Amino acid sequence: MQASRVANQEPQRVRLVADVAQFRALQPAWDALAETHAAGSPLARHDWFFGVWSAWHTGDLAARLVVVCLADRAGKLVGILPLCIGGRRRSLSPRRLSLLTPDQLSTPVRLPIDWHAVRKIAGLGEELRGILGALEWDELCLAGLELSDAEALTQLLGKDSLTLSDDASCPVVQLKPSWAENFASMSANQRKELRRNQRRFAKLGQLTMVVARTEEEVVANFPELVRLAKLRDRRAG
């Protein structure tokens, strides 16, 4: 009887991954979903989100990895929701459950989710709400997420049951076609500061400028950008 009950059990439809090794092991299935249901966007692929976690969040001891795997009734993976719970920035500030992205990302992130399949699974939203609700967080932040994905996720979870962060917009920087044009568009103070930094760095050795022109190049150089930003923030206090 016991073996029969186990055989008749439905596959787990919502599974949380909080271990880095399990997170890494999701790559093949993750990238297959990103290729099919997120137009192959580099900002939907496993390498992007794993790089963000490795470079950005591992230094925050209060941060918690929350990768949600969604499966249909046959056990087929139909979506992955990469989230994290961050530590409070101030003692009385809310603790956020947010998309696994850096702050102020200028390009919206896509989710590796087959929304058509997800919408056909009865009761999935309620089950997901129950599992996420058992975690310790105060508000959900969807900043940085592509609009259609944000709307679909909010609908799945039920907007009335959520406390949404007011960080609704994602800043976008309109860049000029060339570095010279970007430099010319800066304020006089910005140009002066940049020249001063260039002279200072030149004293340390040869100064090389590398421009990332494609999404793939941006993703490849992102960990180094994060490292430099952390150094800047640390020195600024």
Side-chain angles (χ1 to χ4, degrees):
M1 287 293 294
Q2 184 176 3
S4 177
R5 285 199 302 270
V6 171
N8 292 330
Q9 281 183 349
E10 290 186 353
Q12 190 175 9
R13 298 191 300 178
V14 180
R15 178 170 65 93
L16 295 185
V17 171
D19 176 80
V20 175
Q22 294 178 10
F23 183 13
R24 188 190 300 274
L26 286 171
Q27 182 169 9
W30 187 312
D31 286 346
L33 282 169
E35 189 67 32
T36 305
H37 301 290
S41 169
L43 299 190
R45 296 179 66 84
H46 180 275
D47 284 349
W48 163 260
F49 289 103
F50 192 84
V52 170
W53 174 257
S54 301
W56 196 271
H57 293 285
T58 51
D60 182 357
L61 298 181
R64 180 177 177 184
L65 181 66
V66 182
V67 176
V68 183
C69 298
L70 305 175
D72 62 15
R73 293 188 180 278
K76 178 184 176 182
L77 190 66
V78 294
I80 300 174
L81 182 57
L83 303 170
C84 70
I85 300 176
R88 291 183 173 86
R89 297 176 183 178
R90 297 180 297 275
S91 59
L92 297 180
S93 63
R95 195 170 191 210
R96 288 180 174 176
L97 176 66
S98 59
L99 190 67
L100 186 56
T101 60
D103 294 337
Q104 298 185 342
L105 180 67
S106 61
T107 302
V109 169
R110 298 289 305 275
L111 292 177
I113 295 180
D114 179 354
W115 287 114
H116 178 71
V118 165
R119 293 187 184 99
K120 292 169 61 177
I121 305 173
L124 183 62
E126 182 178 357
E127 185 175 344
L128 179 58
R129 284 197 303 273
I131 289 177
L132 292 180
L135 306 176
E136 295 181 1
W137 54 278
D138 304 303
E139 63 181 20
L140 177 65
C141 178
L142 301 181
L145 186 58
E146 198 271 336
L147 181 60
S148 63
D149 280 336
E151 291 175 343
L153 180 59
T154 302
Q155 183 180 11
L156 177 67
L157 292 173
K159 187 173 183 178
D160 294 339
S161 67
L162 300 173
T163 301
L164 292 173
S165 164
D166 58 5
D167 293 351
S169 62
C170 182
V172 176
V173 179
Q174 298 293 342
L175 297 178
K176 307 292 183 183
S178 69
W179 166 250
E181 290 174 278
N182 278 294
F183 185 77
S185 69
M186 297 177 184
S187 68
N189 286 337
Q190 287 176 320
R191 293 196 300 270
K192 181 179 178 181
E193 178 69 15
L194 185 57
R195 289 192 185 102
R196 186 175 68 177
N197 286 334
Q198 287 176 327
R199 290 194 298 269
R200 185 176 63 184
F201 292 139
K203 294 178 180 178
L204 302 176
Q206 184 178 1
L207 186 63
T208 303
M209 182 179 297
V210 178
V211 181
R213 301 185 182 278
T214 66
E215 284 187 308
E216 290 80 3
E217 290 173 345
V218 171
V219 171
N221 286 281
F222 180 74
E224 181 65 8
L225 173 63
V226 171
R227 186 185 70 82
L228 293 174
K230 283 186 172 182
L231 286 175
R232 179 201 61 190
D233 293 344
R234 192 177 301 129
R235 290 171 181 172

